[in-house]
Amino acid sequence: MKLGRLNHIGVVTPSIPDSIAHWRDVMGATKIHDPFDLPAQGVKVCFVDTPGADGTEGSQIELIEPLGEDSPIHGFLAKNPLGGQHHICFEVPDIHAAKAEFEAMGKRVLGEPRIGAHGTLIFFVHPKDMGGMLTEIMETPKDH
């Protein structure tokens, strides 16, 4: 498996509008994508692009807000009312090959590949198998 670039950092928030203001006014983000609901995941998502140096692309932050009480991130907010870092996401060229390799290494893959917020296949690897970090693996979008 060839691990690709860090695609984004997922940040849980109780309020996407408040978090947008933070990333824009405090952190200098200039490109904020339209928020959208991802009902299959039980979340509302908004991508924020941070500016890079010398005209380069910065990093992308995925703001994640629960859609309701049964959202899988509701428990995260119960423990962390202000929100916080939820996961990191890396790209791979072939999601199924990556899943097979993680499983062959004894890593706990959480569920089957499914469509994520970027419209490509994703899966998560248990934080206990990834140095304490919930890790999302996503197939590199075809437009890159």
Side-chain angles (χ1 to χ4, degrees):
M1 171 184 58
K2 180 178 183 240
L3 192 62
R5 73 182 186 99
L6 175 67
N7 181 280
H8 66 266
I9 297 171
V11 176
V12 172
T13 177
S15 168
I16 283 179
D18 290 350
S19 291
I20 287 172
H22 168 78
W23 284 97
R24 181 188 60 233
D25 302 341
V26 177
M27 303 303 288
T30 55
K31 185 173 182 183
I32 298 166
H33 302 258
D34 291 332
F36 61 95
D37 291 350
L38 199 57
Q41 309 277 339
V43 296
K44 179 183 286 282
V45 174
C46 179
F47 287 101
V48 175
D49 299 347
T50 64
D54 301 320
T56 62
E57 285 187 33
S59 301
Q60 194 167 66
I61 305 299
E62 178 187 31
L63 300 175
I64 312 162
E65 181 182 326
L67 273 178
E69 295 291 318
D70 56 346
S71 171
I73 61 164
H74 184 66
F76 183 95
L77 271 178
K79 293 177 188 168
N80 307 280
L82 297 176
Q85 181 182 334
H86 182 258
H87 67 271
I88 58 173
C89 176
F90 290 97
E91 295 180 8
V92 294
D94 182 327
I95 196 80
H96 298 290
K99 180 179 182 285
E101 289 190 41
F102 276 111
E103 290 174 333
M105 290 185 276
K107 307 297 183 191
R108 287 171 279 189
V109 172
L110 305 174
E112 291 301 314
R114 60 196 178 277
I115 298 294
H118 281 96
T120 65
L121 289 171
I122 65 157
F123 63 81
F124 286 89
V125 185
H126 198 288
K128 289 183 179 176
D129 296 332
M130 300 298 286
M133 292 178 286
L134 179 61
T135 304
E136 180 180 2
I137 303 297
M138 73 176 273
E139 195 159 83
T140 301
K142 300 304 179 214
D143 61 355
H144 277 112

